[in-house]
Amino acid sequence: MSLRIGDKAPDFTAHTTKGELTFHQWLGDAWGILFSHPKDFTPVCTTELGYLAKLEPEFAKRNTKILGLSVDPVTDHERWLNDIKDVGGAAVNYPLIGDHDLAVAKLYDMLPADAGTSSQGRTAATNHTVRTVYIVGPDKLIKALLVYPMSTGRNFDEVLRLLDSIQLTAQYKVATPVNWKHGEDVIIVPAVSDEEARQRFPEGWKTVKPYLRVVPQPKKN
């Protein structure tokens, strides 16, 4: 099953470093970051999990839960977490799924259906496609997907920026321009007429082009 933006994030029950959880129930009314890794004790992933551990409070401020996945058993994860803390300088407090049977990786189309049912004997190279970040809304719909190769560490500051944009534009009829950062001007979407825009943005806007109207960022409720 190929997953796209706007699709329902598949639900699942899995064992994690924080016990068993069912994804949709665990998410509740929060936003979610589900990010995957091809193998434990891999160098790039070790740096990623450690950095995200430091960044977790910023996601919590945005009502966003973090859930990791790696194609290995939970017992391996628990040993790996010590290395992550040593390298990253922060303890991983978010759950990390033990996808030893490849069930979640296949459910999310990160591995083909014929990949087998065990992580045993598999290498990071054979799991190299398990490198996706999914942003999931409280409605359980996929809002964004980011896919990276094994050789390139993911930029979780960018994931946070993307989350800010998605949450803002979900609340207001605006879009964010290139390289936008929280607090900067935004764009009134073309579907909003000038008449409606005057009601929504009474302090006015700057018209760059008839279809490009720039307005200060609304404050999130």
Side-chain angles (χ1 to χ4, degrees), residues 6-163:
D7 287 347
K8 190 95 167 202
D11 197 15
F12 58 84
T13 298
H15 292 287
T16 80
T17 51
K18 300 293 183 180
E20 186 175 272
L21 64 76
T22 299
F23 183 49
H24 286 187
Q25 183 183 33
W26 172 82
L27 200 59
D29 61 358
W31 293 71
I33 302 292
L34 173 62
F35 71 112
S36 62
H37 305 83
K39 194 75 179 167
D40 292 358
F41 302 102
T42 50
V44 172
C45 296
T46 299
T47 65
E48 290 177 338
L49 271 80
Y51 186 78
L52 194 52
K54 288 183 177 179
L55 206 57
E56 185 176 16
E58 290 299 320
F59 285 95
K61 290 177 186 176
R62 294 158 173 82
N63 188 33
T64 302
K65 296 180 178 180
I66 297 171
L67 180 60
L69 177 149
S70 187
V71 182
D72 271 317
V74 169
T75 50
D76 286 356
H77 294 353
E78 289 169 344
R79 292 189 296 111
W80 186 27
L81 292 179
N82 292 325
D83 285 357
I84 294 165
K85 184 178 180 181
D86 286 345
V87 172
V92 173
N93 293 314
Y94 50 82
L96 188 59
I97 296 166
D99 199 27
H100 64 92
D101 58 0
L102 317 182
V104 181
K106 289 193 288 186
L107 182 65
Y108 274 73
D109 195 36
M110 294 181 285
L111 286 174
D114 62 358
T117 58
S118 175
S119 63
Q120 190 170 13
R122 296 182 66 88
T123 66
T126 55
N127 297 334
H128 71 99
T129 52
V130 189
R131 285 282 291 160
T132 307
V133 178
Y134 303 87
I135 297 181
V136 181
D139 56 5
K140 313 303 182 290
L141 299 183
I142 295 173
K143 306 300 182 181
L145 304 91
L146 299 171
V147 185
Y148 281 65
M150 286 197 304
S151 56
T152 303
R154 286 171 278 198
N155 185 335
F156 285 105
D157 292 325
E158 165 60 13
V159 175
L160 193 65
R161 188 197 76 91
L162 177 58
L163 177 65

Side-chain angles (χ1 to χ4, degrees), residues 164 168 180-186 215-218:
D164 279 338
L168 180 72
W180 173 88
K181 295 183 179 65
H182 180 70
E184 296 179 348
D185 290 351
V186 297
V215 68
Q217 176 186 313

